[in-house]
Amino acid sequence: MDKQSRLFTIVVVVIALGAAVVLFRPVVEEQLAPELVAAWVAVEVAGRGIADVGPVDLEVGDSFQLRAVLEGRDRKGEPVYYTEASQLSFSGEPVAIDRLKVWDRPQPVKVRWFTVEGQRPFIVLDAETKLDGFKFLEFLRHDWPMSWTVPGHIDAAHNNHLENDSAEKIQRFGTQRYHVRIELYSSEESLIPERVIRSWGVSDLKQQIAGFPTVRLALPGVLGPASRAFGLTLLEPFPGAERDILDGIRELADHHVAFSRLTVLRDQIQPTGKQLDELSWTSVELAGEARWGEHVAPGDLLRVGDRVVVLYDDRGAPGIVDYDDLCFDFVQGASIRALSDIFIGSGNTVELASLQPS
């Protein structure tokens, strides 16, 4: 073989080897890449700079983002976390920065967001199904971006099919749990994912309740306990419900999973150190002399008979407690209503219990 032929052969071999490297490099890199094992939801509160996998307590005015996290294990068994978060922790335990990466692998991904909620905002339990009648679902949030990071929302989905009769149309406070599914595709044109990796969901809620990604967004001060009930399911026990049913409802309320009218009033009253039957009630006239900031304040209780509401905001005549003012009502779920929607027709006299610190 002459010199020119040998040179041509070498060039062809080099080109072939280069083409092979280009073609097979993604395959080899993927084989050597960390094995994907789990997905997580992390909550990043504005201004804190770290996303945490776990429950977070906030006050109205705080904003947050949800960060999807895809966990892998490298060839040494060490964790690698694919996420857009610059810092990450699990229930307050920080992850080393060098363990975090943005998704740079060839497989296209889609990130689908869900909220984990009671099936309905209000359930009347019955003697046959008992607490089994209370079901949790993962609600796909179609209106959220399919991206690694989404703005945080506290808006429940289980009442979207119902008419919104709340005096405030946008839910600004309450409790919300989150779930994410990360879908991996073979190509951009693929319609069906090769694999779906899920974060904790309904089946994990009972076992992982203490660390489940949850945001409890509350109003400040005395209104805090009652405001956290929004977004949860109200459970109404059937007449003569057994003690274990009532204890089960209390346990769910203690974990901020559901509530009853009694448990939400218990939580609202608890900071005073009293029980419901230990409160002092005085008669006040709606649209009478009772004034906000003097006799009445947000968080106080009003009642007529067994209907008890939590005062929320002065929306009527400024400074006067009247029928246009707003309250939290806990009949058929948590809602914000005008006093006129509840007490009209009962006369002007209602009973007031102050819960303000002395």
Side-chain angles (χ1 to χ4, degrees), residues 53-262:
V53 178
V56 177
D57 287 292
L58 303 176
E59 284 194 356
V60 170
D62 296 331
S63 60
F64 63 97
Q65 294 179 313
L66 300 177
R67 302 277 199 182
V69 180
L70 188 53
E71 180 182 348
R73 296 282 166 167
D74 63 21
R75 297 171 67 83
K76 296 180 180 179
E78 295 294 324
V80 175
Y81 299 98
Y82 297 97
T83 180
E84 291 181 347
S86 58
Q87 296 186 68
L88 180 68
S89 64
F90 284 78
S91 296
E93 291 295 324
V95 173
I97 299 296
D98 62 1
R99 296 284 93 191
L100 306 183
K101 297 182 65 175
V102 295
W103 182 256
D104 58 356
R105 292 164 64 165
Q107 293 168 288
V109 300
K110 291 182 180 178
V111 182
R112 300 191 191 274
W113 291 95
F114 297 73
T115 50
V116 181
E117 308 173 22
Q119 186 176 10
R120 299 190 297 275
F122 170 63
I123 295 176
V124 179
L125 302 176
D126 60 63
E128 182 177 351
T129 60
K130 301 183 179 179
L131 282 172
D132 290 337
F134 172 48
K135 303 292 185 184
F136 251 69
L137 297 178
E138 294 158 4
F139 287 85
L140 174 62
R141 306 311 296 252
H142 298 277
D143 53 333
W144 293 12
M146 287 194 297
S147 56
W148 289 83
T149 301
V150 297
H153 296 281
I154 202 76
D155 182 30
H158 61 195
N159 58 0
N160 284 352
H161 63 292
L162 302 174
E163 181 181 355
N164 186 350
D165 62 353
S166 174
E168 291 186 353
K169 301 305 181 184
I170 298 175
Q171 184 182 333
R172 299 189 302 115
F173 41 80
T175 299
Q176 191 85 79
R177 291 178 169 85
Y178 304 96
H179 166 73
V180 71
R181 299 179 191 173
I182 301 177
E183 301 174 348
L184 292 90
Y185 292 80
S186 59
S187 69
E188 296 286 355
E189 291 74 30
S190 299
L191 299 178
I192 300 176
E194 288 188 320
R195 186 181 177 191
V196 180
I197 304 177
R198 295 168 169 82
S199 68
W200 285 341
V202 168
S203 61
D204 307 286
L205 183 58
K206 184 175 182 179
Q207 184 177 0
Q208 307 296 347
I209 188 64
F212 203 97
T214 306
V215 171
R216 294 185 288 261
L217 187 62
L219 288 165
V222 179
L223 279 170
S227 66
R228 281 189 285 269
F230 283 76
L232 300 179
T233 296
L234 185 148
L235 302 179
E236 187 70 35
F238 53 88
E242 299 92 335
R243 184 57 179 258
D244 62 324
I245 302 298
L246 301 179
D247 289 344
I249 294 174
R250 279 193 289 269
E251 182 179 3
L252 293 171
D254 290 343
H255 290 296
H256 306 285
V257 173
F259 70 100
S260 70
R261 284 185 287 175
L262 285 179

